Amino acid sequence: MLNLNYKTLFLKMRRLLLFIIFSLISLRGFSQDDIAQKIAFNNLVSPTANLFVHFDKNIYSNNETIYFTAYILKTGKFDLNAHKILAIALIRDIDTSVIKVDKFLTKGGLAFGNMIIPDSVVTGNYQLLAYTDKLVNGKPELIFKQAIKLKTNIELPFRANIKLVEKPDLTHKDNKVLISVTSNDFKFLAKPVAVNYKYGNLEKKAKTDASGQLLLTIPKQDNLVDPNIHVKLKIQKDSSFLSMPLPSGRIKANVKFFPESGNLVNNIPSTVAWEVTDLQKRPIALRAFLLKNNSPIDTIETNSYGIGKFKIPTEENAVYTVKLLNDNLADSIYTLPKALSSGLVINIDDTVVEDTLRLSLKNTGNHKIFIRLHNFRNCFLDIPFDMGSNLRKLKIPLTNIPKGLNAITITDSLNRPLAESLFFAHYDNKETLSIKTDKPIYQQREKVTLKLTPKELPQNAFVSIAVVQENRISLKNTNDIENYFYVKTELENVLPNSRGLIYKDRDYFEQVLRVKGWRKYTWQQILDIKPSDTVKTIDSLSITGVVRKNKKLLTSPINLAATVDSLFRTFNTSPQGNFDLNKPELITEYGKKVYLFVNDDNRERFHVQIKDTFDQMSKNLSKTEASIVQLEPLILADNSDLVLKNNERAIQLKEVTIKSANDRSFYYSRGANACGDYVCKNDILNCINHFNDPLNRQPVAGMNYGGSDGPYMECKSHTKDKSFVEFSGIRYHKEFYLNNYKDPLEPAFFSTIYWNYGIILDSKKETELTFHTSDIVGIFKVIVQGVTKEDVIYTETKFEVEQKRQVN
């Protein structure tokens, strides 16, 4: 009995001891291993999967060809080689309509291709949306967006412009706007023009007067997210759009303060970065007073990027505010965050560093802390640290830290964050590759020799090269692989500087890191992650089909035949009539259709249907991804601004009207047959440089043409036969046609004069390329970007093309 009581007492003591141990663990929070695991879990929950697409330019016109090379930089759930298909969708900004979708072969993390912009596409702002076939939770794992603008080489049906009648005045309650419309040769129109306009919550219809003018009185509306008046003009079947921002009353500024380590702490002097923008996120440069308890103590300012920084003493019980010195702003007083009674402050003089991070820690609270260096996906340094005193200076070598954006997070013994700061490790802006032309100025149709010389290139590189007219590249829409990989994929809403740069401008990059912060994750999100959060549903997009016999499912396989690039291929369906079109042997050249039909004597009883899941995905993404467009002032005060200059275009074409979704002229060149094939005036089959040329003609069966491997096979159309279908399959790229322009009578108005989808650069020797200038004069830009085994590279140069001198 006594022995039993001892056993009972021992068991109770054991339970009490275990309870105390678990209580201590719960008070400690997470162990070091737990934190490392949580960070690893975050990498599984939110993996960084990066796709970058190098487009030759970002301003195009109708009938032009878009050239691109796609690079898969990082993958998440899927291996690199699992991504088999890349889709490119052309989407109109104004209504998120999907204009066109093409699909291309992807192999080894690379995809090459080209897309011809249809003749009938209206001018304006568009998005090129790229994504691959692998899905995570119903959404493509890899997505990339490129904003572009479309101009036209077609003479406008009418000219239109919009302007303010009076100078902006804050005391006026209305804006007076004048819209003027004339014929293309500046004459009065025979009939009034229908006008639809929208500004804020105002939406109305009107008509011009006999002189083609319309005077609008628009009441001012304050603090609009979209500051533009949008105007649509219509004459019979012809439409045009105008837009411009209207002055409002005093606008409300968006002012944000960023204490250097997250919080202000009483009695610890701190540096505070701040940012001032308007409602459209445009920067505002201004001066301001820093006030302590309503008394000025300093004058501070923001620069042209709307960014600045100032020091603050942070005295206990003091209230710090900032008074903006700008009469155009509605509010002027903004209060800084309240300081903590005790805590820790990190001070980092340089947030963009090479191999060593130097910082100082100022503390009025806990002396036992933990220092972690991480990127919210991997933890690289995790050490306990005893402050010992209120000020400690540290120098941390970054040998084992990867190049890129990282964070230093200081926590207490319970892993509660005390301070955090961003930094960029292993910054290196050395010239890795030198690109030079044999001379700075050329004449029209002159040979150019381009030399690419390795400087600090540690390994061989794979790059794509574009040589384009400089005014076909908008700095606002510029996307280069270096900025994208190191900055834009990590920080949100980062605008380039006035030269289109972020990464290469070290000073601006420093400013960005101080005010943008790590927006994708927070420390609390890391601690809240559970293993179940890492479970994802994966799937793939596909192009499939089914064959039915007399509207019923099949009971046995049937043979199908396909014509691909003039080659004949056959395959069998499943017993139920299902088949997969994601086959390497069905990949076709760009601009060519795949023709599929039932290979049976009684094929009229069969019905073939194609299901392309890329089409629906493009529509879905147009409503979610492509619709996220930053609203800003859109100055299109004259519709002629979207027309190419006369010295940049050769042929003025009449616009084609698309009658239905099945109208193949949307995709086919002028002179093409039912299969989409045509021969240009130089006897080249499907010549990309003469797409839609009025001199194109249909090819003749049995004839040999340039660009073809053999005699042309007969084209047969079976549009009413349900056992026969034609569809746009998966494409492979069409080589860029290098032209020396020997024929003086053939116009050569090409803004992209050289494109190379991909070339391997040897790290130890020079690479030389040659091409010719076109008939377009002005500045041309050479852009080289791509990847090495461990990094990305980007470099550019310029040269000029002058008018060809006349020989006397």
Side-chain angles (χ1 to χ4, degrees):
M1 185 72 178
L2 185 62
N3 189 35
L4 181 62
N5 287 337
Y6 275 123
K7 287 183 178 180
T8 304
L9 181 62
F10 174 76
L11 289 172
K12 289 183 177 180
M13 291 294 291
R14 183 181 177 186
R15 291 192 189 102
L16 179 62
L17 183 61
L18 288 171
F19 174 77
I20 293 172
I21 291 173
F22 281 122
S23 297
L24 289 174
I25 291 175
S26 65
L27 287 172
R28 168 71 179 86
F30 302 99
S31 71
Q32 302 305 93
D33 290 340
D34 288 336
I35 295 298
Q37 189 179 52
K38 291 280 187 181
I39 292 175
F41 280 162
N42 185 62
N43 191 32
L44 294 174
V45 172
S46 305
T48 52
N50 293 343
L51 169 69
F52 177 80
V53 185
H54 175 195
F55 294 100
D56 59 321
K57 54 200 173 197
N58 56 42
I59 299 176
Y60 296 90
S61 69
N62 50 335
N63 294 332
E64 258 195 315
T65 300
I66 300 170
Y67 297 97
F68 71 85
T69 295
Y71 300 86
I72 298 179
L73 303 177
K74 285 185 182 179
T75 57
K77 284 287 185 181
F78 295 93
D79 293 332
L80 185 72
N81 291 317
H83 298 268
K84 302 292 187 184
I85 303 172
L86 176 81
I88 303 282
L90 177 62
I91 299 170
R92 187 164 53 212
D93 278 359
I94 196 168
D95 56 5
T96 68
S97 293
V98 178
I99 305 301
K100 190 177 185 181
V101 182
D102 283 325
K103 298 168 287 291
F104 301 88
L105 176 67
T106 301
K107 189 174 182 179
L110 296 169
F112 319 112
N114 55 283
M115 173 188 281
I116 296 176
I117 299 173
D119 178 42
S120 59
V121 175
V122 297
T123 56
N125 295 318
Y126 288 76
Q127 298 274 328
L128 287 169
L129 182 68
Y131 60 94
T132 63
D133 55 328
K134 296 303 174 185
L135 306 179
V136 177
N137 289 346
K139 181 180 177 181
E141 181 181 59
L142 297 171
I143 298 176
F144 178 83
K145 295 178 288 185
Q146 173 64 59
I148 66 170
K149 177 173 286 187
L150 294 189
K151 293 190 173 185
T152 183
N153 59 10
I154 302 170
E155 284 294 340
L156 293 170
F158 57 86
R159 293 180 177 270
N161 64 71
I162 182 173
K163 64 180 181 180
L164 287 168
V165 176
E166 303 170 334
K167 292 183 178 180
D169 190 328
L170 290 174
T171 63
H172 292 174
K173 295 182 179 181
D174 302 314
N175 285 309
K176 293 190 180 297
V177 177
L178 180 65
I179 298 172
S180 301
V181 187
T182 66
S183 66
N184 196 42
D185 54 355
F186 301 101
K187 295 179 180 179
F188 290 146
L189 296 170
K191 295 182 179 179
V193 179
V195 180
N196 290 6
Y197 63 95
K198 184 179 186 299
Y199 175 67
N201 57 16
L202 178 68
E203 191 168 353
K204 288 189 174 182
K205 296 180 179 181
K207 286 189 176 183
T208 59
D209 59 22
S211 63
Q213 294 189 332
L214 175 63
L215 181 62
L216 301 175
T217 301
I218 310 291
K220 289 184 178 179
Q221 300 182 39
D222 293 334
N223 300 318
L224 290 178
V225 175
D226 182 0
N228 306 291
I229 179 172
H230 299 275
V231 179
K232 179 181 179 181
L233 307 167
K234 189 170 184 179
I235 303 176
Q236 296 178 347
K237 294 182 179 181
D238 295 315
S239 298
S240 190
F241 297 89
L242 299 172
S243 61
M244 66 178 294
L246 295 185
S248 62
R250 288 182 171 84
I251 64 172
K252 187 174 182 179
N254 185 20
V255 179
K256 294 181 179 179
F257 300 104
F258 303 90
E260 60 185 335
S261 50
N263 294 296
L264 297 174
V265 179
N266 281 336
N267 303 315
I268 298 182
S270 295
T271 299
V272 178
W274 68 310
E275 182 182 37
V276 184
T277 62
D278 61 14
L279 292 178
Q280 289 75 47
K281 307 298 182 184
R282 290 178 299 168
I284 300 176
L286 49 72
R287 298 174 68 247
F289 289 138
L290 175 62
L291 310 175
K292 185 181 79 173
N293 298 327
N294 296 324
S295 297
I297 59 172
D298 198 0
T299 301
I300 60 178
E301 63 183 16
T302 59
N303 58 22
S304 59
Y305 304 118
I307 299 172
K309 65 178 180 178
F310 56 89
K311 292 190 178 295
I312 187 170
T314 325
E315 296 178 7
E316 192 171 355
N317 297 322
V319 177
Y320 294 91
T321 55
V322 168
K323 180 179 176 61
L324 306 182
L325 303 177
N326 190 313
D327 293 336
N328 293 326
L329 299 177
D331 300 322
S332 61
I333 303 292
Y334 294 84
T335 304
L336 272 73
K338 186 178 180 180
L340 302 177
S341 58
S342 64
L344 182 144
V345 170
I346 304 174
N347 177 254
I348 301 178
D349 289 334
D350 298 314
T351 56
V352 178
V353 298
E354 294 174 2
D355 300 320
T356 304
L357 181 67
R358 293 174 173 84
L359 65 148
S360 62
L361 303 179
K362 301 173 186 177
N363 184 43
T364 61
N366 299 316
H367 288 282
K368 302 288 185 181
I369 61 174
F370 285 86
I371 299 176
R372 293 183 178 88
L373 265 62
H374 61 95
N375 59 7
F376 286 91
R377 295 179 290 274
N378 295 286
C379 190
F380 309 110
L381 179 68
D382 189 349
I383 58 171
F385 187 77
D386 191 342
M387 280 290 294
S389 63
N390 291 338
L391 174 63
R392 295 292 296 270
K393 293 188 177 182
L394 304 178
K395 187 167 68 172
I396 303 175
L398 302 176
T399 307
N400 297 319
I401 309 295
K403 180 180 179 179
L405 279 172
N406 294 274
I408 178 170
T409 302
I410 311 292
T411 67
D412 62 14
S413 59
L414 299 180
N415 285 314
R416 294 174 299 192
L418 300 175
E420 185 172 270
S421 184
L422 281 182
F423 66 94
F424 189 95
H426 303 293
Y427 180 83
D428 184 2
N429 196 24
K430 295 178 183 178
E431 186 182 31
T432 58
L433 184 69
S434 170
I435 52 174
K436 290 184 178 180
T437 55
D438 53 329
K439 56 184 183 179
I441 301 175
Y442 298 86
Q443 294 185 22
Q444 295 165 308
R445 305 195 182 201
E446 186 176 354
K447 183 179 178 180
V448 179
T449 300
L450 178 70
K451 293 183 178 181
L452 298 90
T453 308
K455 293 293 185 182
E456 298 286 340
L457 194 62
Q459 305 156 331
N460 290 355
F462 182 89
V463 300
S464 44
I465 305 171
V467 183
V468 300
Q469 188 181 1
E470 186 181 40
N471 66 11
R472 290 297 197 97
I473 298 175
S474 163
L475 287 180
K476 184 186 74 171
N477 294 333
T478 294
N479 243 337
D480 70 70
I481 198 168
E482 211 168 39
N483 282 334
Y484 183 79
F485 183 69
Y486 285 121
V487 184
K488 291 185 177 181
T489 57
E490 302 290 358
L491 301 175
E492 297 179 355
N493 300 323
V494 181
L495 298 177
N497 65 9
S498 57
R499 293 175 293 155
L501 303 175
I502 304 174
Y503 178 84
K504 289 189 181 298
D505 187 338
R506 187 168 185 166
D507 179 63
Y508 178 60
F509 195 12
E510 287 260 8
Q511 296 178 52
V512 167
L513 290 188
R514 293 187 186 279
V515 299
K516 291 302 177 184
W518 205 289
R519 301 294 180 87
K520 291 191 174 181
Y521 316 109
T522 66
W523 189 254
Q524 190 57 48
Q525 284 176 307
I526 298 291
L527 299 182
D528 290 342
I529 287 176
K530 305 181 293 295
S532 59
D533 295 333
T534 65
V535 179
K536 304 284 186 180
T537 302
I538 61 176
D539 201 354
S540 298
L541 294 168
S542 61
I543 308 173
T544 59
V546 63
V547 179
R548 298 180 186 274
K549 182 179 180 181
N550 297 326
K551 300 183 180 180
K552 295 180 180 179
L553 293 175
L554 301 184
T555 56
S556 60
I558 193 167
N559 188 256
L560 297 179
T563 303
V564 184
D565 287 345
S566 301
L567 297 176
F568 191 76
R569 305 183 186 278
T570 63
F571 58 93
N572 290 328
T573 70
S574 70
Q576 294 77 30
N578 298 313
F579 57 92
D580 184 2
L581 294 174
N582 293 19
K583 296 177 180 290
E585 59 269 25
L586 296 181
I587 297 172
T588 183
E589 179 183 311
Y590 186 82
K592 301 294 288 291
K593 295 279 187 177
V594 176
Y595 300 93
L596 184 68
F597 57 91
V598 175
N599 192 18
D600 188 273
D601 291 338
N602 299 313
R603 60 174 178 262
E604 66 275 359
R605 296 182 296 173
F606 295 92
H607 185 192
V608 181
Q609 290 179 308
I610 304 294
K611 182 180 180 182
D612 189 340
T613 55
F614 287 90
D615 291 339
Q616 186 58 49
M617 179 56 68
S618 295
K619 292 177 182 178
N620 295 343
L621 293 176
S622 74
K623 305 300 180 186
T624 55
E625 296 295 320
S627 63
I628 306 173
V629 179
Q630 188 73 42
L631 287 172
E632 57 185 31
L634 301 172
I635 304 176
L636 182 57
D638 195 314
N639 65 347
S640 63
D641 292 343
L642 289 178
V643 180
L644 294 180
K645 297 177 182 178
N646 287 334
N647 60 356
E648 296 179 9
R649 53 180 171 153
I651 303 170
Q652 299 176 4
L653 303 172
K654 186 178 180 181
E655 203 161 341
V656 177
T657 302
I658 303 303
K659 299 176 181 178
S660 70
N662 297 320
D663 186 350
R664 288 173 297 177
S665 64
F666 189 80
Y667 301 97
Y668 291 177
S669 165
R670 290 166 184 254
N673 59 21
C675 300
D677 296 325
Y678 61 93
V679 177
C680 77
K681 57 187 177 182
N682 296 328
D683 282 335
I684 297 173
L685 182 67
N686 298 325
C687 173
I688 202 165
N689 288 332
H690 293 97
F691 183 84
N692 245 345
D693 191 310
L695 297 179
N696 289 349
R697 65 188 187 279
Q698 294 186 10
V700 178
M703 294 291 290
N704 288 297
Y705 299 103
S708 178
D709 296 331
Y712 182 75
M713 296 181 64
E714 184 181 1
C715 170
K716 294 182 179 180
S717 178
H718 301 267
T719 55
K720 296 182 181 180
D721 187 350
K722 292 186 178 181
S723 68
F724 174 94
V725 292
E726 61 178 66
F727 64 95
S728 300
I730 303 167
R731 319 283 197 177
Y732 58 83
H733 69 283
K734 190 177 183 71
E735 289 296 336
F736 182 83
Y737 180 62
L738 279 175
N739 199 330
N740 57 15
Y741 311 116
K742 287 185 177 179
D743 183 357
L745 299 178
E746 181 183 356
F749 290 94
F750 300 108
S751 58
T752 298
I753 58 176
Y754 181 80
W755 170 259
N756 197 315
Y757 291 102
I759 184 172
I760 297 176
L761 302 181
D762 193 316
S763 62
K764 297 180 181 179
K765 66 179 184 180
E766 188 176 78
T767 301
E768 184 175 294
L769 305 168
T770 60
F771 53 89
H772 285 74
T773 61
S774 65
D775 285 342
I776 297 177
V777 297
I779 304 298
F780 279 74
K781 183 177 283 191
V782 182
I783 297 173
V784 179
Q785 54 186 334
V787 296
T788 65
K789 186 177 179 181
E790 298 176 352
D791 207 349
V792 297
I793 58 174
Y794 176 86
T795 188
E796 63 179 52
T797 191
K798 297 178 183 179
F799 63 86
E800 186 176 357
V801 178
E802 292 183 337
Q803 192 83 28
K804 192 171 185 178
R805 298 183 183 94
Q806 298 294 326
V807 179
N808 295 326

